[in-house]
Amino acid sequence: MRHLIDPMDISMTELKDLLDLAEEIIKKKEDFNQVCKGKILGTLFYEPSTRTRLSFEAAMLRLGGSVIGFSDAGVSSAIKGESIPDTIRTVSSYVDIIAMRHPKEGAPKLASYYSFVPIINAGDGGHYHPTQTLTDILTIRLKKGQLSNLTIGLCGDLKFGRTVHSLIKSMSSYGNKFILISPQELQIPQYIKMELFNKNSSFMEVESLEDVIDKLDILYMTRVQRERFFNEEDYIRLKDSYILDKEKLKLARKDLCILHPLPRVNEISYEVDDDPRACYFEQVKYGMYIRMALILRLLGVM
Amino acid sequence: MLYIDSISKGIVIDHIRPGNGFKIFKYLGLNKADFRVALIINAQSKKYGKKDLIKLENVMDLDLTMLGFIDPNITINIIQDEKVVKKIKLSLPEEVEGIIKCKNPRCICSEERQIVHRFVLIDDKKGIYKCDYCEQIYSWEG
């Protein structure tokens, strides 16, 4: 039985297969709307994340399956005090596949040791969020038609942003150039840089978005999360450092593709939304399709 | 020169890194042994200059995973009729359970009561382990 806990659990061959399947689903949606009939997805969200949960639920419903679950450990008081192994053994007796989100790192890994059905990690604290990474990669392939020889700019909180780390790790295998744009306080951790050195990708670190925006094929913006800071002062000082607006976008290439894992706070001005280069709402949609492909493969339905 | 009798039947735990001998002595509970035990500290070693070693005049079960984790340099000699009949070279175990505790406060280990702390070897030269759940790094050298 396969689980998806860490984005690196997926080989390059499997990734290509998932992306191909997602593209096929996008092309022929009606061919897939009954394939999971009679199957149930369990969404165990120990921490609220409406966006991710709805994406999983929509994905399962569009495959003709059904969904049960909880979206806040506080509401489901029965879960409180019960161990993860017990909850998982119970729920996995009812459902065919589980999407699990938990504030603690490694909780889905623990669950995978006890589950009778495949577990998908839907985010475990600051650790992994593999379906976001799949979403990002699918969007890049659909927008650029390729996954290699791209100049990818990542901007904002590169220290704590787990989606950024996973995306860099995955995309570095294909041979790309990375430009890491962040304040010094929020630079990418050393161990990720070491991995980049070991692969056939190059990277540079800069502090200003304006200096490099004209070189980019992809600009991946991230939110500077308040909860990652130890004090309010640092948060206020840094949160507006890297805001993408129309002025900055004038310097960018015509075929730039702007991505964001969402939700945004103010790092992309609303005026940018109408620009054809803004791809983050399409990205959300692709997130649902790649989850459909993933559910199909893990269930072994197709 | 300190002289310690050779044993006719038993186990010699050899090539222990100096300083680890007493640790292993305690771990094996040898202070409560009712058979003959020798703990030798800072013996001469051709390989390392100095070494600790333990001689047990008895046959007992040893947890090789744990011993390998405490000191991967160890060699264990099983003695019968005054001859070495088996030599076991230890190494760092691929996986250790319930020996090291994960100290990452964000790890699921900090919340679940009955979880077994599990670490996986990722670099056997440097002795680096990672938590199986949150991947927090644990280095033997500290």
Side-chain angles (χ1 to χ4, degrees):
Chain A
M1 186 171 50
R2 279 296 298 269
H3 305 284
L4 177 57
I5 306 299
D6 170 347
M8 292 294 130
D9 287 346
I10 303 174
S11 71
M12 280 169 90
T13 322
E14 288 170 320
L15 178 62
K16 184 178 179 302
D17 166 69
L18 275 177
L19 298 173
D20 289 347
L21 181 58
E23 286 193 27
E24 202 186 322
I25 295 171
I26 293 170
K27 278 186 205 122
K28 299 180 203 153
K29 298 181 188 73
E30 59 286 352
D31 286 2
F32 293 87
N33 63 17
Q34 294 297 318
V35 289
C36 281
K37 200 157 188 266
K39 302 281 184 192
I40 302 176
L41 165 75
T43 51
L44 308 191
F45 277 57
Y46 286 81
E47 163 184 81
S49 171
T50 314
R51 189 175 298 275
T52 307
R53 183 172 54 85
L54 291 181
S55 179
F56 271 107
E57 295 188 357
M60 191 53 165
L61 295 174
R62 281 182 184 275
L63 292 168
S66 320
V67 182
I68 61 168
F70 58 84
S71 53
D72 179 357
V75 174
S76 56
S77 54
I79 301 297
K80 266 192 158 179
E82 186 178 51
S83 72
I84 288 178
D86 284 3
T87 305
I88 290 298
R89 279 183 287 223
T90 307
V91 177
S92 69
S93 302
Y94 305 147
V95 302
D96 300 285
I97 187 165
I98 289 174
M100 175 178 181
R101 186 174 189 115
H102 198 284
K104 292 281 182 181
E105 299 174 14
K109 180 83 178 263
L110 174 67
S112 73
Y113 291 143
Y114 295 92
S115 178
F116 308 124
V117 301
I119 300 270
I120 303 171
N121 180 2
D124 58 339
H127 196 213
Y128 289 132
H129 194 2
T131 54
Q132 181 65 51
T133 308
L134 290 174
T135 302
D136 300 339
I137 296 172
L138 176 64
T139 310
I140 291 172
R141 199 173 90 165
L142 283 166
K143 300 308 286 186
K144 291 289 167 190
Q146 66 196 58
L147 291 175
S148 51
N149 297 317
L150 297 167
T151 301
I152 303 169
L154 299 120
C155 179
D157 173 2
L158 306 186
K159 186 176 182 184
F160 298 106
R162 61 186 166 196
T163 54
V164 169
H165 301 167
S166 298
L167 183 62
I168 291 175
K169 278 204 226 171
S170 298
M171 292 301 287
S172 61
S173 307
Y174 294 93
N176 288 293
K177 192 175 168 196
F178 296 94
I179 300 183
L180 310 172
I181 311 145
S182 73
Q184 282 196 341
E185 291 89 335
L186 293 176
Q187 273 180 2
I188 208 141
Q190 194 60 32
Y191 73 92
I192 305 267
K193 284 186 212 166
M194 294 301 288
E195 289 196 32
L196 284 176
F197 275 125
N198 294 334
K199 291 186 177 161
N200 54 347
S201 290
S202 67
F203 73 94
M204 59 188 267
E205 288 182 293
V206 296
E207 286 212 301
S208 160
L209 175 57
E210 278 147 301
D211 291 349
V212 294
I213 195 166
D214 60 317
K215 299 186 179 70
L216 305 177
D217 296 305
I218 309 279
L219 173 57
Y220 195 92
M221 295 293 295
T222 62
R223 176 162 62 113
V224 178
Q225 283 177 283
R226 183 187 290 257
E227 60 264 32
R228 300 278 180 239
F229 283 89
F230 287 112
N231 66 66
E232 190 70 12
E233 253 172 65
D234 279 355
Y235 174 72
I236 291 168
R237 185 171 58 86
L238 292 169
K239 75 180 164 89
D240 294 336
S241 309
Y242 299 90
I243 294 175
L244 182 64
D245 53 22
K246 266 199 163 148
E247 269 310 299
K248 290 198 188 84
L249 209 47
K250 275 182 190 158
L251 306 166
R253 294 222 303 256
K254 288 246 165 357
D255 62 348
L256 173 73
C257 170
I258 306 163
L259 302 180
H260 190 297
L262 301 181
R264 73 172 145 184
V265 183
N266 59 353
E267 57 279 4
I268 301 178
S269 302
Y270 290 106
E271 61 188 23
V272 175
D273 295 355
D274 299 328
D275 193 292
R277 291 169 286 188
C279 303
Y280 30 91
F281 292 114
E282 271 175 280
Q283 187 184 0
V284 168
K285 194 160 191 172
Y286 296 147
M288 178 182 70
Y289 291 122
I290 196 74
R291 288 181 177 96
M292 289 169 76
L294 180 66
I295 290 170
L296 286 178
R297 283 293 185 252
L298 288 179
L299 282 177
V301 189
M302 294 194 70
Chain B
M1 178 77 189
L2 180 72
Y3 187 75
I4 290 157
D5 273 343
S6 60
I7 48 178
S8 60
K9 189 179 184 213
I11 299 170
V12 177
I13 305 174
D14 201 358
H15 300 128
I16 304 170
R17 192 199 299 256
N20 281 343
F22 187 58
K23 232 189 259 178
I24 292 170
F25 185 86
K26 270 196 304 186
Y27 165 71
L28 294 174
L30 296 174
N31 50 332
K32 296 189 189 97
D34 57 1
F35 45 86
R36 280 207 283 179
V37 179
L39 165 62
I40 302 156
I41 287 173
N42 298 327
Q44 260 189 349
S45 162
K46 281 180 204 126
K47 229 170 164 184
Y48 304 106
K50 273 183 187 175
K51 66 178 182 182
D52 291 358
L53 72 150
I54 296 173
K55 293 185 178 191
L56 313 170
E57 203 173 44
N58 191 27
V59 181
M60 62 185 282
D61 285 335
L62 298 175
D63 180 348
L64 300 183
T65 305
M66 182 62 191
L67 284 180
F69 182 70
I70 298 176
D71 190 340
N73 298 315
I74 288 177
T75 314
I76 290 176
N77 299 312
I78 312 285
I79 317 279
Q80 259 171 31
D81 303 327
E82 296 186 4
K83 280 192 211 105
V84 177
V85 292
K86 201 172 173 193
K87 233 183 202 327
I88 306 165
K89 181 90 192 73
L90 294 191
S91 56
L92 282 172
E94 290 293 321
E95 215 178 272
V96 289
E97 281 191 359
I99 295 173
I100 345 173
K101 289 238 179 288
C102 181
K103 295 201 178 83
N104 175 7
R106 298 177 307 278
C107 178
I108 187 65
C109 286
S110 67
E111 197 171 275
E112 286 281 305
R113 276 159 291 147
Q114 296 197 325
I115 198 166
V116 179
H117 290 239
R118 180 187 287 130
F119 278 76
V120 183
L121 183 65
I122 51 170
D123 186 332
D124 61 345
K125 291 197 183 67
K126 293 185 188 143
I128 298 172
Y129 284 82
K130 68 171 186 182
C131 172
D132 186 40
Y133 303 104
C134 73
E135 297 178 308
Q136 176 94 338
I137 298 295
Y138 177 92
S139 165
W140 219 108
E141 303 294 331

